[in-house]
Amino acid sequence: MKHIIFLLLVMLPEISVYAQDSHFKVSARPWIKGQKEIPWKEFNTRTIAQLKGFIPVQQVSTNKYESDINAPKLSSTGFFRVEQIQNRWWMIDPEGYRHIQKVVVGLRLGPSERNKNAMSQRFGSTSVWIEQSAQLLHSLGFSGTGSWSDEESIAAYNASHKEVLTRSTILSMMSGYGKKRGGTYQLPGNTGYPNQCIFVFDPDFEIYCDEVAKKLAQNASDPHIIGYFSDNELPLGLNNLEGYLTLANPNDPGRVYAEKWLKQQGVSPEEITDRHRADFAGIVADRYYQIVSSAIRKYDPNHLFLGSRLHGGAKFIRPIIEAAGRYCDIVSINYYGDWTPNAQAMDSWGEWAKKPFIITEFYTKGMDSGLGNTTGAGFTVQTQQDRGYAFQHFVLGLIESGNCVGWHWFRYQDNDPTAKGADPSNLDSNKGLVDNEYQPYLPLTHAMKELNINAYRLADFMDKRKR
């Protein structure tokens, strides 16, 4: 069978831990979508201290992009690009140095009254806030910012500083079109669509993407931008085929396309198999990525197309990953549910896409934060120290994969339960590296710093152990 439905990975035991490394137990409460009252469990955990033969350093020399200037310089284009060197993918920065994208999602001021009061007392102005926030991120070895960040303040900071914050901008092409078209609704963490079917077969979607992408021309010469996400967590998956077939409007372009496609396969709705479902999901993904990538590259050919932040079952379906690989420079994945990154899945993403991947969301919540931690994904642990252990453990697993070129911590600041109009997945959880008064969680940030500044050395160390 040409396509493999890769859904059973979530049931596999934790793998990707070298036998010679020691590990210890951390108590954590898993996140399983749709389930509550999940019991706490003990999870094998490995930090830098458990790596046999690796000695961390306290500081490293980097350039303004937090790239590795200790490795041989490669060809430079003036913008970020990707290259596979031996068996490992790398980002290559505008100057030609190896780069791992280590960033924080949502670097922006909190919207609640509590956040505003804290900002006024601690910083006094947005310019002081971005200055001190950039200093904090750089001190922790982070290279920049991810989606939903204050783009204007970051651009202003970069214009006046030698050491910069890289940017990765989200365009929300499908969700923006859906709001304009009508029919979408808010789900926890993402946008909902009729029957969870995106409007990719609408003729007007392509026109809308072109209009959105026109604004990117002003960014085309900015070397501090890594690239663009077209959307977040689209409902691509095995339910797409029946979803389109049962849309209420018989003249909906998606329903018309699905009916025609099914007829071409020579099967009735009762004869649909998972093979048909996976193949059709790949067609939906292919059409989507072709449209959005063409629009982006038309107006800004210099920066990377980072995909749509795949999540849930979509990231385990081969035709979807293959479609992403045909059009994306890097496949972006929001990864929840596994304490240890699944090595087999990471190998398959590289094999199927023939491109590298980045993890664009992951986090762990601590019970000592004073927050309820009842919303959002991510594991829950007892302390901020445990959050630091979890961060190192997860990222070490990513570094072991030669297909991973970065990680995006979700997110800069905790949820504030007093905030009004928050997304249902962002109500009361300890996701931030700073709290609602902009104070860093020091045990967490100390662990982040140790891992981040040693990231390039860790990649070389792990590659050497594989030989």
Side-chain angles (χ1 to χ4, degrees), residues 185 330 450 453:
Y185 53 96
I330 300 172
E450 182 182 41
I453 66 174

Side-chain angles (χ1 to χ4, degrees), residues 12-32:
L12 294 177
E14 292 179 1
I15 53 180
S16 183
V17 176
Y18 279 98
Q20 64 262 47
D21 293 335
S22 61
H23 35 285
F24 57 96
K25 301 286 187 180
V26 169
S27 179
R29 185 172 61 205
W31 172 82
I32 302 174

